[in-house]
Amino acid sequence: MLFSITIGNGYHIPRMFSRNIATLIKGTELANKIKSEVRNELINIRQTKPEFEPQFVAIAIGNNPASSIYLQRKQEAASYCGLKSKVIHFEDTISQKSLIDVINHTNKDPSIHGIIVQLPLPNHLCETTICNAVHPSKDVDGFTQTNLGKLMQKMSDSNMIPCTALAVKKIIESEGIETYGKTAVVIGRSHNVGLPIAIILGADKQKGGFDMTTVSCHRATPNETLASVCRNADIIVSAAGVPGLVDKTMVKPGACLIDVGLNRVKSETGKDIVRGDFNKNVSQVDCRLTPVPGGVGPCTVAFLMYNTLLAAKLQAGIMNQAE
Ligand code: ADP
């Protein structure tokens, strides 16, 4: 791209601007592969067990337009995989007790194998209490204390791992990235996203982790510290929800950048667009990068399908729960 720089006397001289040399990691390809594996496995199981009909219920509170889009993606993916899905909507005035009653009722319904509570919740509802009301065997988001606790001990194939963390895990595996003894930075420490990702990256390979030296950054991390730890990192995962937080000066050549940020911003022409946590200029570094959109997002949805099938298999005794 032709670019110009201004020199002291006001003249503009053109120069060649750095090219985009980063390699894009196509999340949609991995997502399609996972969804077709779920679909094929379900077809196989149903040949001998036609009564096996995995179903998830998504509980949506209020009218958040972003949530509606995610719900639609989940339902489309379910329909592709052959899973049943249902959305239950409530006004944002629903009380905590009423919501917990609904979750308890759904916990007892044998035709429902997975329960998703669409986040964020209105302020009067306690996210931790609501997420923990879901029975761990139906917790396909992996947000309960039980499933997050299991993640600390082991990442086995029968664990319900939070879908975004599982997506990040599988992206790293499918890219064949060398991780042993390398350095990772995770930006964001939420219980549902940043923290489980940091646990997986830092865990022992014997337990399903990546043996990385992992630095967790968050709101209290000074900018200079964030920049300096990122500059040393072989993998940077950003789940902060801050558009353009990490730029090219913070990225070392050869690094793998995984963008979990999904930020709605206005384009220069006033259009609503989606941007990640990485500045577009990181493409000028010789690195690997998940795009936004089309990177982690579709994989998160695909792993929700994977977890729903897993939950249904465990509930039907088709697969055994690991220790
Ligand atoms: P999510 O559920 O997607 O992880 P949250 O809003 O719950 O989103 O969490 C955002 C995380 O990002 C928090 O852990 C917060 O500390 C971190 N964060 C927010 N802003 C910054 C920032 N400027 N620098 C580093 N971390 C940040």
Side-chain angles (χ1 to χ4, degrees), residues 187-190 192-194 217-219 226 239-242 245:
I187 313 172
R189 58 176 168 184
S190 70
N192 306 339
V193 184
C217 298
H218 41 72
R219 244 177 226 113
L226 180 67
V242 180
L245 179 64

Side-chain angles (χ1 to χ4, degrees), residues 182-187 213-218 221-237 246 249-252 255 257:
K182 303 278 183 186
T183 302
V185 170
V186 181
I187 313 172
T213 303
T214 305
V215 182
S216 168
C217 298
H218 41 72
T221 307
N223 288 346
E224 337 52 277
T225 309
L226 180 67
S228 82
V229 291
C230 283
R231 264 182 224 120
N232 276 322
D234 301 292
I235 295 182
I236 306 174
V237 182
V246 181
T249 66
M250 298 158 74
V251 173
K252 105 174 160 185
L257 314 181

Side-chain angles (χ1 to χ4, degrees), residues 44-203:
N44 281 340
I45 296 172
R46 284 173 54 82
Q47 274 170 358
T48 51
K49 284 185 177 293
E51 72 284 4
F52 183 68
E53 288 194 308
Q55 171 166 220
F56 69 79
V57 161
I59 298 174
I61 294 113
N63 193 15
N64 178 335
S67 281
S68 311
I69 297 169
Y70 301 142
L71 275 175
Q72 197 184 330
R73 302 255 156 87
K74 289 171 186 176
Q75 287 188 288
E76 284 163 6
S79 138
Y80 171 82
C81 294
L83 303 166
K84 289 170 78 179
S85 67
K86 198 157 75 176
V87 179
I88 316 179
H89 280 282
F90 293 100
E91 296 289 325
D92 58 10
T93 49
I94 187 170
S95 71
Q96 178 139 317
K97 185 185 175 308
S98 305
L99 184 55
I100 289 177
D101 285 346
V102 171
I103 295 172
N104 283 339
H105 179 76
T106 318
N107 280 337
K108 290 186 195 122
D109 182 342
S111 73
I112 308 290
H113 306 87
I115 303 171
I116 300 155
V117 180
Q118 199 65 27
L119 302 178
L121 294 172
N123 287 339
H124 69 282
L125 300 172
C126 170
E127 187 177 302
T128 311
T129 308
I130 300 294
C131 287
N132 281 319
V134 174
H135 193 278
S137 68
K138 299 192 177 186
D139 170 29
V140 287
D141 266 331
F143 292 167
T144 56
Q145 285 169 348
T146 303
N147 287 320
L148 287 171
K150 282 184 183 170
L151 186 68
M152 303 292 142
Q153 296 177 334
K154 206 173 177 183
M155 287 125 227
S156 83
D157 284 346
S158 62
N159 271 17
M160 222 64 80
I161 299 174
C163 303
T164 303
L166 190 53
V168 171
K169 182 177 193 289
K170 298 292 179 179
I171 287 171
I172 293 170
E173 285 169 358
S174 71
E175 287 293 304
I177 292 164
E178 199 194 320
T179 59
Y180 184 85
K182 303 278 183 186
T183 302
V185 170
V186 181
I187 313 172
R189 58 176 168 184
S190 70
H191 285 109
N192 306 339
V193 184
L195 218 45
I197 293 170
I199 297 296
I200 293 171
L201 292 173

